[in-house]
């Protein structure tokens, strides 16, 4: 945002040319780097920084050369269309940097203004254009809200008193930045002291009430900020707590997913057992086992849904009346094989082999009857 600013300094030493009567001021500081208060027309105070990289550049320094000197600040920028009305003198062409200050010589040519200066009107206030960039920071321990960039001096005004009174006027060989703009020609301003943050500060009397209100509002805002900060800390702690619970839940979910993945792989392995030829072989093995078990358990036994182990245990139970369910699969398999090798007369439902030989009526060859199961 490009704005017009007015900063004040005091005429330090001056001399009058004996031939022309012009008043000449040498090596006057008109600006320095630092952080300074500005009061807008709305009464709001902002702290703006003139940083070395902005004020002490070649462009800003050269802008102080050969610029109009005016009696108070005009209501507009000085240019070729209004110099007859506003210009009362001219700065020299020797603007330069001295430490952290910008200095220049100047000559006053207007007799009325010379008399006012000799009578005590000795403060200088530069009028300049600048881009005020809203960027926060600190310079030499002073906090600022904005920084002035692209500083270009338009004129140097001779004024009675800076907008904020003598507490911020330039004294000796230093330069002090002051306050805003709308200074009326010939207007004097009364000052008063108010207490801000435990210190006495001199301000314009007309601004005192507004500044105190702003200070009170600022303290109220700081209180609100502190409360909000406490709420944010509480919410942050609650968030961290919830995050911890979420991390624990995620661990449980990960463990459950790992188990599910393991079971899925196990299921896939089981499915492979019943694919293609493996399925045919599994069916053949089961039918063969049923044929082996049936003589021991009888035709009434329901084989549906029974595992090979369950069928063998049932056969063993029917044969020896023992419960081997707690034994290993290898033990059960061996025991079942042993009962198969026993005398077939002990098999449930087995009636033995008929030995009577029949003669086939056709070829007279003997034939044995098949086994008969109950």
């Amino acid at each position: 945002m490009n704005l017009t600013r007015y900063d004040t300094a005091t005429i330090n030493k001056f001399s009058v040319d004996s031939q022309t009567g012009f008043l000449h001021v040498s090596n006057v500081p008109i600006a320095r780097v630092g952080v300074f208060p500005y009061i807008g027309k709305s009464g709001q105070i902002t702290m703006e920084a003139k940083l070395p990289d902005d004020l002490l550049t070649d462009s800003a320094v050269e802008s102080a050369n050969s610029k109009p000197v005016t009696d108070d600040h005009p209501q507009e920028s000085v240019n070729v269309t209004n110099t007859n009305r506003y210009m009362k003198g001219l700065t020299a062409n020797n603007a330069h940097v001295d430490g952290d200050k910008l200095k220049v010589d100047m000559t006053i040519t207007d007799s009325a203004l010379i008399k006012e200066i000799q009578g005590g009107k000795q403060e200088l206030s530069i009028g300049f254009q600048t881009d005020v960039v809203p960027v926060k920071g600190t310079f030499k321990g002073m906090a600022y809200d904005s920084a002035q960039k692209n500083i270009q001096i338009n004129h140097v005004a001779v004024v009675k008193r800076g907008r904020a009174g003598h507490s911020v006027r330039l004294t000796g060989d230093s330069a002090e930045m002051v306050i805003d703009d709308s200074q009326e020609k010939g207007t004097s301003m009364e000052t008063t002291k108010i207490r801000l943050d435990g210190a006495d500060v001199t301000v314009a009397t007309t601004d005192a009430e507004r500044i105190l209100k702003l200070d009170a509002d600022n303290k109220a805002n700081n209180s609100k900020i502190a409360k909000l900060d406490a709420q944010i800390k509480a919410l942050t702690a609650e968030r961290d707590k919830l995050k911890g619970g979420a991390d624990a839940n995620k661990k449980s979910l990960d463990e459950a997913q790992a188990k599910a993945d393991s079971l899925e792989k196990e299921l896939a392995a089981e499915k492979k057992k019943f694919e293609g030829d493996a399925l045919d072989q599994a069916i053949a093995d089961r039918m063969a086992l049923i044929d082996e078990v049936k003589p021991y358990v009888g035709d009434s036994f329901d084989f549906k849904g029974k595992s090979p182990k369950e069928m063998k245990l049932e056969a063993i139970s029917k044969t020896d009346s023992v419960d081997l369910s707690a034994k290993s699969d290898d033990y059960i398999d061996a025991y079942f094989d042993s009962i198969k090798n026993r005398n077939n007369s002990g098999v449930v439902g087995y009636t033995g082999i008929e030995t009577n030989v029949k003669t086939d009526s056709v070829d007279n060859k003997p034939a044995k009857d098949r086994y008969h199961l109950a």
Side-chain angles (χ1 to χ4, degrees):
M1 180 171 57
N2 188 265
L3 298 173
T4 298
R5 285 286 184 259
Y6 301 93
D7 295 344
T8 300
T10 300
I11 296 174
N12 190 26
K13 298 177 181 179
F14 60 86
S15 60
V16 177
D17 186 275
S18 60
Q19 182 180 15
T20 63
F22 295 164
L23 186 145
H24 182 68
V25 186
S26 299
N27 204 34
V28 62
I30 60 174
R32 70 175 174 88
V33 297
V35 178
F36 311 103
Y38 288 83
I39 301 176
K41 292 180 181 179
S42 65
Q44 183 179 7
I45 298 177
T46 61
M47 301 301 290
E48 296 181 12
K50 277 186 173 65
L51 301 175
D53 289 344
D54 299 312
L55 178 64
L56 305 183
T57 62
D58 291 342
S59 176
V61 173
E62 289 172 4
S63 72
N65 287 326
S66 304
K67 289 300 168 70
V69 177
T70 64
D71 188 2
D72 293 315
H73 287 292
Q75 299 300 310
E76 56 188 328
S77 295
V78 182
N79 53 55
V80 293
T81 66
N82 55 28
T83 51
N84 288 338
R85 190 188 325 164
Y86 297 130
M87 191 165 71
K88 309 298 182 182
L90 198 67
T91 64
N93 198 33
N94 65 346
H96 58 280
V97 173
D98 184 359
D100 62 352
K101 304 178 187 67
L102 172 57
K103 294 184 176 182
V104 69
D105 293 356
M106 65 185 66
T107 300
I108 313 299
T109 59
D110 181 77
S111 59
L113 180 55
I114 291 172
K115 288 181 180 179
E116 288 185 89
I117 292 172
Q118 291 172 331
K121 186 177 183 178
Q122 295 180 4
E123 290 192 13
L124 298 176
S125 179
I126 60 171
F128 59 99
Q129 295 288 320
T130 183
D131 293 326
V132 179
V133 179
V135 54
K136 293 182 180 295
T138 58
F139 180 73
K140 292 186 177 180
M142 291 287 290
Y144 57 84
D145 307 302
S146 305
Q148 295 176 358
K149 307 286 184 179
N150 303 320
I151 297 169
Q152 292 292 297
I153 296 172
N154 174 259
H155 63 273
V156 181
V158 181
V159 296
K160 276 194 173 182
R161 185 176 297 178
R163 182 85 168 101
H166 288 297
S167 65
V168 290
R169 71 177 291 183
L170 175 141
T171 57
D173 197 34
S174 64
E176 188 70 52
M177 300 305 101
V178 246
I179 314 261
D180 188 48
D181 48 14
S182 50
Q183 172 91 17
E184 295 183 3
K185 184 176 180 179
T187 300
S188 176
M189 185 170 295
E190 296 298 325
T191 63
T192 187
K193 287 187 177 181
I194 60 175
R195 194 162 187 82
L196 294 175
D197 294 328
D200 291 329
V201 180
T202 302
V203 299
T205 302
T206 55
D207 291 330
E209 184 177 352
R210 182 164 57 243
I211 293 173
L212 287 172
K213 183 179 183 304
L214 288 170
D215 183 59
D217 291 343
N218 196 33
K219 289 178 179 177
N221 288 336
N222 287 339
S223 177
K224 290 180 182 178
I225 290 171
K227 290 180 181 178
L228 288 173
D229 187 54
Q231 291 177 4
I232 290 171
K233 288 180 179 178
L235 290 172
T236 301
E238 183 66 21
R239 180 203 64 190
D240 292 342
K241 181 180 178 182
L242 291 174
K243 185 176 182 298
D247 290 342
N249 290 336
K250 185 178 183 304
K251 182 180 179 182
S252 299
L253 289 173
D254 289 344
E255 291 175 351
Q257 185 62 48
K259 291 179 180 178
D261 292 343
S262 176
L263 290 174
E264 187 173 338
K265 290 180 180 179
E266 184 178 343
L267 177 60
E270 288 297 319
K271 285 181 178 178
K272 283 186 178 181
K273 295 179 181 179
F274 301 102
E275 291 179 356
D277 295 340
L279 178 60
D280 293 338
Q281 185 61 47
I283 293 173
D285 292 345
R286 184 173 178 83
M287 294 304 298
L289 181 61
I290 289 174
D291 287 341
E292 291 177 346
V293 172
K294 186 177 288 186
Y296 302 98
V297 298
D299 290 334
S300 63
F301 183 74
D302 186 5
F303 288 95
K304 185 177 181 180
K306 296 293 190 299
S307 68
K309 180 179 179 179
E310 289 173 329
M311 290 190 285
K312 292 177 182 179
L313 285 173
E314 184 67 20
I316 294 168
S317 175
K318 291 288 187 183
T319 303
D320 290 349
S321 300
V322 294
D323 181 9
L324 302 180
S325 58
K327 297 294 184 179
S328 68
D329 291 348
D330 291 338
Y331 186 94
I332 294 169
D333 290 343
Y335 199 103
F336 180 70
D337 289 340
S338 72
I339 68 172
K340 287 193 301 179
N341 295 326
R342 292 180 190 174
N343 191 333
N344 288 336
S345 63
V347 177
V348 176
Y350 179 70
T351 59
I353 300 175
E354 294 183 5
T355 59
N356 57 314
V357 177
K358 296 180 181 179
T359 301
D360 189 282
S361 59
V362 177
D363 54 13
N364 289 324
K365 290 181 178 180
K368 289 185 178 181
D369 287 344
R370 295 182 179 277
Y371 293 98
H372 294 284
L373 298 177

